[in-house]
Each structure stands twice: as C-alpha cells, then as structure tokens.
Amino acid sequence: MTDGGPVRDSRAVSLAAAGIMASGIAWRYWMIPRLHDSQYKLGEAFNVARSFAQHWTIADAFRIGQGPTSHLMPLPGVIAGTVYRWLGIFTPSSNLALTTIAMAFVFAGFWLLFISFRELGAPASGRLLALALLCWSPVNVLIEVIWFRVWDGGMAVAVGMAMLYAVLRVDRVERIGWRAVAGLSLLAAATLFVSPPFGVAGYLCALLLMVRRLPPRRWLATTAIASAAMVVVLAPWTIRNAVVMGSPIVLRDNFGLEFAQANDASLLSNADGDGGFHVRHLLIHPYPGASGYTAMVAAGGEIAYSQKLQHSALAWVETNPGGFVTLTLRHLGQILFPPYWMFPDFPNMGSIAERLAIHWFVTAEGLAGIGYALWRLDRRYRYAAIMTLVPILPYLIVQPILRYRYLIFGLLTFFAFDLIARVVARIASGFSLASAAEARTAPPAA
C-alpha cells in the first residue's frame, strides 16, 4: 500500500490539460452572446433565487406569492439570490457573475474528473481526450453557462467528483486515521445535501472503502462519525422545513410530483415523440400550467399535493406492474441514450444529429469502459463505477431530461476514452512486438 502521496502528471500533460481547460473557458465566454438566453424560462430555480434576492426567503418555486418551498435544495437559490440582490435580477452584471460561478463549478468538476482518473492509473492520452471533449464539445454549453446560473448541475458534479477523488486518495494511504474518516464523512454529507443522487453513491463508496480498508473493530465508530456528520449537515435544513413548511423534510418534497409525472397510463398509449410526457407535465406540474397550480392549492400546498400524487401513482403501479416495468425500461434507455425530443429545448449548441451522436457514443463507449475496468483493471475503479451507475437509479422511476443526464456525462466520457486509449496502446504494442519479431527472424542482408 502506498503512503497516499499525490500521483502527478508530467509537466507536458499538466500544461496540455491547463491549455484545454483555458480554451474551453474562453470559448464559453465567447459563446454567451450567441446562445439562447432562456433565463426567464429557468423554472422553479429562478423563482427561488428571485425570492431570496427580494425577501431573503426560500420560497415561490411555482408562482410569486406562493410562499415557502422545499421543492429544491437551497444552496443554488441562496447563491444566485445573493448575487441578484447585490447586482440586480437578470442584469448583465448579475448574469455574468452567475455564469462565472457556474463555470467555476463546471471546470472544477472537469479537473476533479481528470485527476480522479489519474489516481486510477488511466492513460494520460485518454484523460486529455476526455477533457477535450468536455471542454470543446457543444453538447452541454447552454446548460452550463445559462441554466447552471440557478440550477445545481455544475455544483453537483463538482462536489460529487470531490467525493470520488477524496475516496480514491484515502484508499491509497497506509493507515486511515480518524481525521480522514471525519473529513470524508463531512464531505459525504455535503454531497448528499447538494446532490442526493451523488450523495447516495458517495455513501456507497465510503461503505466499500470502510469494508475494504478498515478492520471490523473500527466499523461501529466510523458509522457513528458518519451519522453525526450527516446530522450536522442536514439538521439546519430539516429544522427549517419543520418550522416553515410544517414537516421535517430532510431533502426535498418533490418525489411524489416527479414520480406521478413519469408513471401514468396515458404515457403508455400516447403516440407523441416524448410518449406524452409534456402533456402530462403541463397537466399536473404546478409551474408551467394553471391546472397543476390550482390543484396544488386545493390540495393544501406543495407537500400535500406531492403526497397525493404519489399515492395515486403508487396505486396505478400496484394495479399495472407491467406498465410500470415498461416505463422504467423506457426511462433507462432515455437517461443513457437521450432521444431526439430532448434536444430542441436547447438551441445553438450544434445540430441535433451531432449532439445525439456524441451522447450516444459517450454512453456506448463509457459503459464498455466500465465493464472492462471492472473486469481487468484496478479494483478501485469500482468507486468510479458506483459514482456513475448509482445516480442513474432515481431516474428510472422519474422522467429523465438532459439536465439530469449531465450528472453522469463527464464520468461516462472519461470511462469511454480510458478504454479507447488502452485499446489503441495495446494495438500499437502488438504492432511493435510483431515488427521486432520480424526484424529478429529476417535473413541477414547479402
């Protein structure tokens, strides 16, 4: 076992990575005025940020004047709302500031992916190619520089990849001390608070680390430290919800709404390209249409409405298990291989055919890379596989969209190019060996 010292790249690799990232940042700033600025179409996250800017409250997710909300996790709204309060709501200066913050999270996530796969021993060539695709590809640019002003995707990836990198570093040390246990516990709790899908994956990685590296006599104390850290991180938000919302919501209150949008008989029979999701969304979601908001008010608020929808959807699932399985498999296909209908909402990011091809290529090669890594490579690749595959699971029972897929896109990209680099290196090595053997057996020149 190593002493946990940092694994370093050569100077040339580090400079190449820095150049790729710098050019990616510059390109995004150049693209901002050329993108479709849909700030006022950013949904509940924008409403919460505006409420925080105007009233210091986490409220009004669906309508101005709705009141307190726990529909979203609070940090993105607090950050964006604070910027809006200082610089004005949807002013050039506030938009630029929030884009800069969003890109800081996005590129922190890219860098953490780069060094996490370095910890795993991934070839530098593959890591540089993966970084180049993330920095230079148009597939997510509008999401990153416009939507992530108020939504949490960039922050989620940055914190999730910090969790992955920390687990990999701790796994390398000779002896894991209590300080490392406490630090990792706090980071796992913070990851859960920022991004529940990555948070669950992070805790599974920590559990695997504990079982692999700690003696059983330390398991109880380690679990106690992790539990205490979770309480410390989640308690303020939970208490706030108990006082303000009337219910001790630990994370978010939106599960029933999301589950009901994605599980209904109409989604099996609708012939629209999206299977009827937009029709269903407009019908029951409180943000886009009047019917959903009216129904929410009649039900007694967002918590009661979400619970009502959840009970109704679960009753449908109980009586239609085959339909539920069909929709679950559809969602799995959509989160991995996003269909055409997801792309028109994100214009000015290259042709849809180009974006489809990149997304599908990344998934196909990334899944193959995960399979190869788990079969043949360092066992620590299991941590990266967990962080890739576990966040997919919630989106099997709710409707995936491109913003949700963003969580796993970078990980799939690095797995994809890790495999490609290894295959190319093996082929090149085979050619070299064949050439050497041919040279040895060639007859001497006359």
Side-chain angles (χ1 to χ4, degrees):
M1 184 63 61
T2 63
D3 63 359
V7 179
R8 298 190 183 278
D9 282 313
S10 68
R11 180 176 176 81
V13 171
S14 298
L15 288 174
I20 290 170
M21 292 183 64
S23 62
I25 292 170
W27 179 55
R28 279 163 175 76
Y29 275 112
W30 180 80
M31 282 291 293
I32 289 172
R34 295 162 176 82
L35 294 173
H36 177 67
D37 196 332
S38 51
Q39 181 76 35
Y40 276 121
K41 299 180 180 178
L42 294 185
E44 308 96 299
F46 176 70
N47 284 350
V48 171
R50 177 170 52 191
S51 172
F52 194 83
Q54 294 174 337
H55 309 294
W56 296 115
T57 58
I58 299 170
D60 297 350
F62 305 116
R63 293 285 192 283
I64 296 175
Q66 171 204 336
T69 186
S70 55
H71 178 69
L72 302 173
M73 299 305 292
L75 276 182
V78 169
I79 294 172
T82 301
V83 172
Y84 283 151
R85 190 173 185 90
W86 289 344
L87 301 178
I89 297 173
F90 197 60
T91 63
S93 57
S94 65
N95 288 343
L96 180 61
L98 287 174
T99 291
T100 301
I101 293 170
M103 285 201 287
F105 283 124
V106 165
F107 279 84
F110 292 170
W111 179 249
L112 286 163
L113 276 164
F114 187 78
I115 61 177
S116 292
F117 275 75
R118 181 185 66 192
E119 285 285 326
L120 292 169
S125 59
R127 291 186 288 119
L128 288 172
L129 287 171
L131 189 64
L133 187 144
L134 293 178
C135 290
W136 297 341
S137 166
V139 293
N140 292 313
V141 170
L142 187 146
I143 296 172
E144 291 168 344
V145 303
I146 303 296
W147 286 66
F148 288 170
R149 290 172 181 170
V150 293
W151 287 100
D152 60 0
M155 183 191 305
V157 171
V159 175
M161 295 311 95
M163 180 67 193
L164 173 61
Y165 181 65
V167 167
L168 292 171
R169 287 295 307 276
V170 171
D171 191 82
R172 295 182 66 248
V173 301
E174 185 72 31
R175 183 183 183 279
I176 300 175
W178 291 115
R179 180 179 297 180
V181 170
L184 205 58
S185 297
L186 286 170
L187 182 55
T191 305
L192 182 67
F193 186 63
V194 171
S195 172
F198 270 144
V200 172
Y203 274 108
L204 289 176
C205 287
L207 177 62
L208 176 60
L209 174 66
M210 182 182 76
V211 172
R212 284 193 65 219
R213 295 294 323 282
L214 295 181
R217 67 177 182 276
R218 294 182 63 187
W219 290 1
L220 181 60
T222 299
T223 303
I225 292 172
S227 301
M230 183 187 294
V231 169
V232 168
V233 172
L234 298 182
W237 176 242
T238 305
I239 294 170
R240 175 266 180 191
N241 289 333
V243 173
V244 175
M245 302 295 297
S247 180
I249 304 296
V250 177
L251 296 172
R252 300 170 62 180
D253 65 17
N254 69 325
F255 172 76
L257 172 62
E258 302 297 335
F259 186 72
Q261 284 190 113
N263 295 279
D264 184 75
S266 65
L267 302 171
L268 293 170
S269 58
N270 194 293
D272 293 342
D274 64 354
F277 169 68
H278 281 104
V279 173
R280 179 77 175 155
H281 178 69
L282 289 171
L283 178 66
I284 70 171
H285 199 287
Y287 177 79
S291 62
Y293 188 80
T294 301
M296 182 190 74
V297 173
E302 65 180 47
I303 295 177
Y305 183 54
S306 186
Q307 291 173 345
K308 178 181 177 180
L309 289 173
Q310 178 178 329
H311 294 153
S312 175
L314 287 174
W316 179 82
V317 168
E318 185 177 351
T319 57
N320 296 273
F324 175 67
V325 171
T326 297
L327 292 174
T328 298
L329 293 175
R330 179 191 295 177
H331 299 150
L332 175 61
Q334 290 173 337
I335 191 70
L336 293 175
F337 298 95
Y340 181 94
W341 65 263
M342 291 187 183
F343 291 87
D345 286 340
F346 299 95
N348 305 110
M349 295 197 303
S351 72
I352 291 180
E354 175 188 358
R355 286 179 276 161
L356 269 173
I358 293 173
H359 274 283
W360 285 41
F361 164 79
V362 163
T363 293
E365 288 294 324
L367 292 177
I370 291 172
Y372 180 78
L374 295 178
W375 174 43
R376 295 293 300 271
L377 301 179
D378 189 324
R379 295 173 66 185
R380 296 188 307 154
Y381 268 93
R382 290 181 292 179
Y383 297 124
I386 289 171
M387 294 299 287
T388 308
L389 299 176
V390 171
I392 293 173
L393 299 180
Y395 303 112
L396 302 185
I397 57 174
V398 301
Q399 176 59 56
I401 56 176
L402 288 180
R403 184 165 52 80
Y404 300 161
R405 175 176 161 80
Y406 187 85
L407 296 183
I408 61 169
F409 185 81
L411 282 156
L412 286 172
T413 301
F414 270 84
F415 268 114
F417 283 100
D418 187 10
L419 176 62
I420 291 170
R422 292 179 188 276
V423 169
V424 170
R426 176 163 293 190
I427 293 172
S429 176
F431 279 128
S432 298
L433 291 173
S435 299
E438 183 178 348
R440 288 195 300 269
T441 56

